Amino acid sequence: MKTSNTLIATLRELPAEAVIASHQLMLRAGLIRKLSNGLFAYFPLGLKSFRKVENIIREEMDAIGALECRPPVIVPGELWRESGRWDTMGAGMLKMKNRVDQELVVSPTAEEAFSALVRDELESYKQLPLTLYQINTKYRDEIRPRYGVMRGREFTMKDAYSFHTTAESLDKTYLDMEAAYKRIFKRLGLSVIPVSADSGAMGGSGSEEFMVESAVGDDTLILCPQCGYAANTEKAVCAADEALDKNGNKQVATELPIGKVPCPGVETIAQMEEFFKMPAQQFIKVLIYKVYNSELDLRNAPGGQAWKREMNQGAPHYPVSFFAVAIRGDLEINEAKLAAALKASEVELAEESDVIAYSGAPHGFVGPVGLTKVPLLADLSVMKQKEDGSYEIYLHDTVTGGGSADVDNIHVEPGRDFTPYMTADVRTVLAGDKCPHCGAEFYSKKGNELGHIFKLGYKYSKTMNLTYLDENGKQQAPIMGCYGIGVDRALASIIEEHHDENGIIWPMSVAPYQVAIVPIKYDGDMKKYADELYEQLTKMGIEVLLDDRNERPGVKFKDMDLIGIPVRIVVGDKNLPNVEVKLRNEKDSQLVPVTEAGEKVFSIVQSALAELR
Ligand code: ATP
Ligand code: MG
């Protein structure tokens, strides 16, 4: 390709709206342009790299026997009603109606579409296992699209869905996917951190995310330096730690009854520590949460509390319900873990009016004792319900909110003075907490999710009625898995990892062009040799960009550096019959006789490609 025949749209200025390197460089190198918030166009150079990323993903999917399909991006809303996600996906899903009032969805993901397609084809166990995938457009109405294509509204995802007769078969595909993902990221030149998490309901490691480290990452990773445990903070668990009293001793149970202490204005944990002269570890804080679409069947809860009677009068599952959550004073509640424990689509802190309505006290004075209008979940830092229904108690002689304004309770004994509806691990694990597997202290990093593999179980096959006939002619539901990679986010992450102050430094596997030929002036001998090299390398199968523009050499060098082409050949009359060969990631260039330059550059490209395999 000659620069005169393509669109070189480099910018000298730093675009004001871009704060991270990949976003800045994708704009400056002319790879993308913004059409609207979260909506980007790829220009020809950007699209070339984008296609290479897609193709690497495609090759590795094909290599493990996944089959590419192409369903429509716009799918009937009816399918989402069947799966139950029409209402639970929230505002992120773009819905619309066509001229005959049919409800339609712009796919934010495609479990429904693939389940529906497979449902229509699936008859016998002989057709399974089956893994289908697409590399296709997704739309999510992200609240805050940012960092360019890293978090856009429209983006491209590789998403695969697998269908199996047995959990063992799903395990095998899951492991194949994991291995394929590792090969993909290696070929893309990306250092990823796989973070695995035990997905409670499925058992084993049912969900793994592939993260890249990033200072502006939206995820926090919890990592063990000793045994390699790595988890997203949304799932990370830690070893139980013993809470201590003000003298640094183990807390001991008290015989004293609850005492009420007036404490106007003492609302925060810090204020409580000051007022009671006690460490936060001896407080229990209780927060009221609004819980969406919980699948817990609260009708069967023991006890005759008011909240249960209220619920029994309503629908089996309220679309929204309220929960109180008790946790040790020095810890934070992790909303993702809480939502998972409550089998809810989302949780958020209740508004003050609801806090008062459900607990009787304003925020800061809510306590676990005497809550009747709302079920209570206690974190494992407070207590743990054993299989026989009794409790292991971890905090003693505690101070809690008093259940009415400006009052706290002292000498509160969990188990004696209150019992929760349920106990679960909902604390936010932090650097410094201990690994539950080996006891070492965790450290943490910020990261971005690049890909995700997930055992879905029977969720979609059951709600959407997928069946096949097994060997005995009996109807069975297939077990499923799903596997996603963001193509745009992968591309941006490559630039995050491979750039310097002058621009992008593409790994050979995804460079828009592998070699740039820059004649100092596209004229006379320089033109002749540049053209010859261009012909020769192109014939060898190398992707070459020949800068035939009538620009100052400095401008051309700057542009090629910014665009990030891995190898540059400069043809200048001072050096002829030698040419200068320079690698983008090295400082110095070398002079090579023009007759040998083709072979030399060819082998540079080949060995760079081989290194990434
Ligand atoms: P995130 O937590 O970053 O929003 P997610 O958990 O919603 O991601 P998935 O639903 O698992 O992501 O989607 C699979 C992949 O699609 C992600 O790993 C990511 O690479 C990509 N992806 C998701 N949302 C976006 C987006 N708004 N822009 C670009 N890529 C995205
Ligand atoms: Mg998301």
Side-chain angles (χ1 to χ4, degrees):
M1 177 66 70
K2 295 189 175 156
T3 47
S4 57
N5 295 331
T6 185
L7 180 62
I8 302 290
T10 50
L11 305 173
R12 289 282 162 265
E13 301 289 306
L14 203 66
E17 80 264 31
V19 292
I20 63 168
S22 59
H23 188 194
Q24 291 169 347
L25 290 171
M26 287 179 91
L27 288 168
R28 284 189 52 209
L31 309 186
I32 57 165
R33 284 293 183 264
K34 175 170 145 180
L35 212 51
S36 181
N37 210 5
L39 300 176
F40 290 89
Y42 284 87
F43 273 178
L45 281 182
L47 190 61
K48 281 203 69 143
S49 290
F50 184 90
R51 292 275 183 248
K52 288 190 170 184
V53 174
E54 277 188 334
N55 276 331
I56 286 173
I57 296 173
R58 180 174 284 117
E59 281 172 23
E60 295 297 341
M61 286 295 106
D62 294 349
I64 58 166
L67 304 170
E68 187 169 3
C69 301
R70 198 160 176 92
V73 172
I74 294 176
V75 301
E78 193 189 323
L79 296 178
W80 290 78
R81 288 198 183 274
E82 271 186 59
S83 72
R85 289 208 291 182
W86 176 264
D87 295 312
T88 62
M89 282 300 280
M93 184 158 85
L94 188 61
K95 302 167 176 174
M96 60 197 158
K97 279 187 179 168
N98 66 8
R99 67 174 81 200
V100 294
D101 256 6
Q102 183 193 10
E103 287 171 333
L104 296 168
V105 163
V106 187
S107 296
T109 172
E111 284 80 3
E112 280 77 0
F114 276 87
S115 295
L117 290 166
V118 168
R119 173 173 61 193
D120 294 345
E121 297 308 310
L122 190 59
E123 284 171 6
S124 151
Y125 69 95
K126 290 179 190 155
Q127 293 163 287
L128 301 178
L130 177 67
T131 304
L132 301 177
Y133 78 98
Q134 64 175 331
I135 301 180
N136 211 345
T137 303
K138 299 285 175 294
Y139 185 90
R140 293 180 184 181
D141 224 25
E142 299 276 358
I143 300 174
R144 224 153 63 78
R146 58 190 180 282
Y147 310 137
V149 300
M150 208 50 117
R151 184 174 299 285
R153 287 197 167 130
E154 187 181 299
F155 60 97
T156 299
M157 196 200 287
K158 183 286 296 178
D159 43 328
Y161 305 87
S162 70
F163 304 82
H164 311 264
T165 57
T166 62
E168 293 71 46
S169 165
L170 170 59
D171 286 348
K172 183 182 176 301
T173 298
Y174 184 88
L175 291 176
D176 286 349
M177 279 287 173
E178 185 185 27
Y181 274 38
K182 289 186 175 157
R183 284 194 298 272
I184 289 168
F185 295 127
K186 170 147 198 268
R187 290 179 64 183
L188 296 178
L190 280 169
S191 321
V192 297
I193 309 172
V195 299
S196 49
D198 293 4
S199 70
M202 294 290 307
S205 85
S207 167
E208 198 169 4
E209 291 169 337
F210 295 80
M211 316 286 299
V212 283
E213 198 181 338
S214 157
V216 295
D218 291 311
D219 290 272
T220 303
L221 317 183
I222 298 293
L223 305 157
C224 177
Q226 192 162 295
C227 73
Y229 172 85
N232 193 318
T233 183
E234 295 183 344
K235 291 161 190 158
V237 292
C238 63
D241 47 355
E242 195 164 56
L244 303 175
D245 69 10
K246 64 180 169 209
N247 301 318
N249 298 324
K250 207 173 142 120
Q251 296 176 1
V252 284
T254 177
E255 302 275 297
L256 295 172
I258 292 179
K260 293 217 168 281
V261 178
C263 48
V266 180
E267 289 177 27
T268 65
I269 291 291
Q271 289 167 336
M272 284 174 75
E273 284 188 288
E274 175 70 28
F275 185 86
F276 289 99
K277 304 275 180 271
M278 274 183 162
Q281 291 209 333
Q282 212 156 353
F283 302 143
I284 295 176
K285 69 178 164 196
V286 179
L287 297 172
I288 306 290
Y289 277 91
K290 204 169 174 176
V291 177
Y292 294 86
N293 307 298
S294 169
E295 284 173 18
L296 289 180
D297 195 348
L298 296 164
R299 287 170 305 170
N300 298 326
Q305 296 97 328
W307 62 262
K308 202 186 121 192
R309 282 197 302 279
E310 249 172 58
M311 263 178 205
N312 283 347
Q313 285 156 10
H317 307 304
Y318 277 157
V320 179
S321 54
F322 288 85
F323 249 88
V325 182
I327 192 164
R328 202 174 75 200
D330 61 321
L331 303 177
E332 297 299 327
I333 295 165
N334 186 281
E335 294 189 355
K337 285 171 77 174
L338 178 61
L342 296 175
K343 301 189 172 158
S345 61
E346 204 183 320
V347 300
E348 64 180 6
L349 277 175
E351 284 158 28
E352 187 75 359
S353 56
D354 286 325
V355 174
I356 295 171
Y358 284 92
S359 77
H363 183 81
F365 296 97
V366 181
V369 180
L371 283 174
T372 59
K373 291 189 173 158
V374 63
L376 175 68
L377 178 151
D379 178 62
L380 299 189
S381 57
V382 178
M383 63 211 295
K384 181 180 184 174
Q385 186 158 36
K386 296 188 279 192
E387 274 190 14
D388 65 2
S390 65
Y391 293 97
E392 200 98 61
I393 308 292
Y394 300 115
L395 298 183
H396 293 289
D397 201 358
T398 66
V399 177
T400 74
S404 55
D406 297 338
V407 178
D408 277 347
N409 283 343
I410 56 171
H411 306 312
V412 177
E413 277 295 318
R416 179 191 75 175
D417 299 323
F418 69 90
T419 51
Y421 163 68
M422 65 189 283
T423 62
D425 172 11
V426 296
R427 81 191 255 183
T428 296
V429 174
L430 300 172
D433 285 337
K434 302 245 166 42
C435 175
H437 303 292
C438 73
E441 269 189 19
F442 285 139
Y443 65 104
S444 90
K445 281 183 177 176
K446 288 264 172 221
N448 260 324
E449 179 193 317
L450 264 191
H452 195 177
I453 58 179
F454 197 85
K455 293 182 189 173
L456 289 168
Y458 295 97
K459 179 171 158 72
Y460 296 93
S461 43
K462 293 250 158 94
T463 53
M464 297 189 66
N465 263 319
L466 268 72
T467 59
Y468 63 90
L469 293 178
D470 71 10
E471 280 151 301
N472 306 315
K474 230 183 117 206
Q475 279 210 336
Q476 302 283 6
I479 185 166
M480 291 173 57
C482 73
Y483 320 88
I485 296 182
V487 178
D488 316 72
R489 193 177 287 180
L491 188 69
S493 301
I494 295 168
I495 298 173
E496 283 295 320
E497 194 171 335
H498 301 277
H499 71 270
D500 62 14
E501 64 284 1
N502 298 320
I504 303 167
I505 307 175
W506 287 112
M508 195 62 81
S509 54
V510 287
Y513 293 93
Q514 297 160 330
V515 176
I517 299 178
V518 185
I520 295 293
K521 210 164 186 286
Y522 194 52
D523 199 15
D525 265 0
M526 286 181 278
K527 176 174 188 304
K528 179 176 150 273
Y529 285 114
D531 283 345
E532 275 175 22
L533 269 173
Y534 178 78
E535 289 292 320
Q536 184 193 358
L537 282 165
T538 304
K539 274 206 189 104
M540 290 167 134
I542 301 294
E543 298 160 302
V544 191
L545 183 64
L546 169 58
D547 200 340
D548 61 349
R549 293 176 297 173
N550 188 15
E551 290 279 1
R552 282 182 293 116
V555 170
K556 298 201 238 187
F557 294 158
K558 272 212 163 70
D559 273 352
M560 293 305 126
D561 276 357
L562 179 57
I563 293 167
I565 312 228
V567 188
R568 185 177 79 191
I569 307 174
V570 178
V571 185
D573 45 9
K574 272 197 207 133
N575 288 326
L576 280 173
N578 290 322
V579 295
E580 209 181 279
V581 174
K582 183 182 171 301
L583 303 191
R584 177 66 181 82
N585 62 1
E586 283 177 11
K587 264 188 91 168
D588 300 322
S589 59
Q590 45 179 314
L591 284 181
V592 179
V594 68
T595 47
E596 291 165 26
E599 284 298 336
K600 165 122 191 129
V601 165
F602 178 79
S603 76
I604 289 174
V605 171
Q606 294 310 318
S607 60
L609 283 174
E611 238 170 68
L612 288 162
R613 294 302 290 231

